[in-house]
Amino acid sequence: MSTPDVPSVLFVCVHNAGRSQMAAAFLTHLAGDRVEVRSAGSAPADAVNPAVVEAMGETGIDISAEVPKVLTTEAVQTSDVVITMGCGDACPYFPGKRYLDWQLDDPAGRGVEAVRPIRDDIEQRVRGLLTELGVAARA
């Protein structure tokens, strides 16, 4: 459960193998321990998309050890902000939570060249989220 001083953010996409993994990695990298970060998928894949791992590696963020996780009701209940990325109605709704839906292309089946613009869009959205949360991004 988050504390008043540390907001909790959950990123959700279908496979938890691309968009939500990138968003969680950027938020963890930029906020450190000042934000509790989770990611999950409504139908998790077996592994993180290799093109996503490569694209994130280009920014200096290694997500090669990450594993897609299944979305649980508890993860939603214990998060202050839930950001969905194409998971449709699979994400449970709880009153009092802040929900955002980020419309982003799905990197599934795409090469690193196609993943880079998605990655860069996610980084900018995460930086904006940090500003909204009142958390300064690390350099």
Side-chain angles (χ1 to χ4, degrees):
M1 191 77 157
S2 65
T3 66
D5 295 332
V6 180
S8 176
V9 177
L10 170 64
F11 295 102
V12 183
C13 66
V14 176
H15 301 296
N16 190 224
R19 296 166 289 187
S20 57
Q21 290 283 351
M22 288 189 282
F26 274 124
L27 187 54
T28 299
H29 178 75
L30 295 169
D33 60 1
R34 294 169 293 148
V35 176
E36 185 179 343
V37 182
R38 298 180 184 92
S39 71
S42 54
D46 294 330
V48 175
N49 179 333
V52 167
V53 172
E54 182 180 344
M56 290 302 291
E58 292 173 354
T59 70
I61 300 173
D62 181 7
I63 63 169
S64 61
E66 294 299 324
V67 177
K69 295 165 279 306
V70 68
L71 176 64
T72 64
T73 301
E74 180 184 357
V76 177
Q77 287 177 315
T78 58
S79 298
D80 299 312
V81 180
V82 179
I83 299 174
T84 58
M85 305 171 182
C87 70
D89 296 330
C91 190
Y93 178 82
F94 294 97
K97 302 288 174 197
R98 180 176 175 206
Y99 288 86
L100 301 172
D101 184 47
W102 290 357
Q103 297 293 318
L104 297 159
D105 290 336
D106 188 347
R110 298 182 180 198
V112 70
E113 297 81 17
V115 173
R116 287 182 187 120
I118 301 167
R119 172 201 66 198
D120 296 344
D121 187 3
I122 290 171
E123 179 181 9
Q124 291 311 307
R125 290 172 189 247
V126 167
R127 288 180 180 278
L129 176 64
L130 281 170
T131 300
E132 290 174 27
L133 295 173
V135 176
R138 297 191 299 191

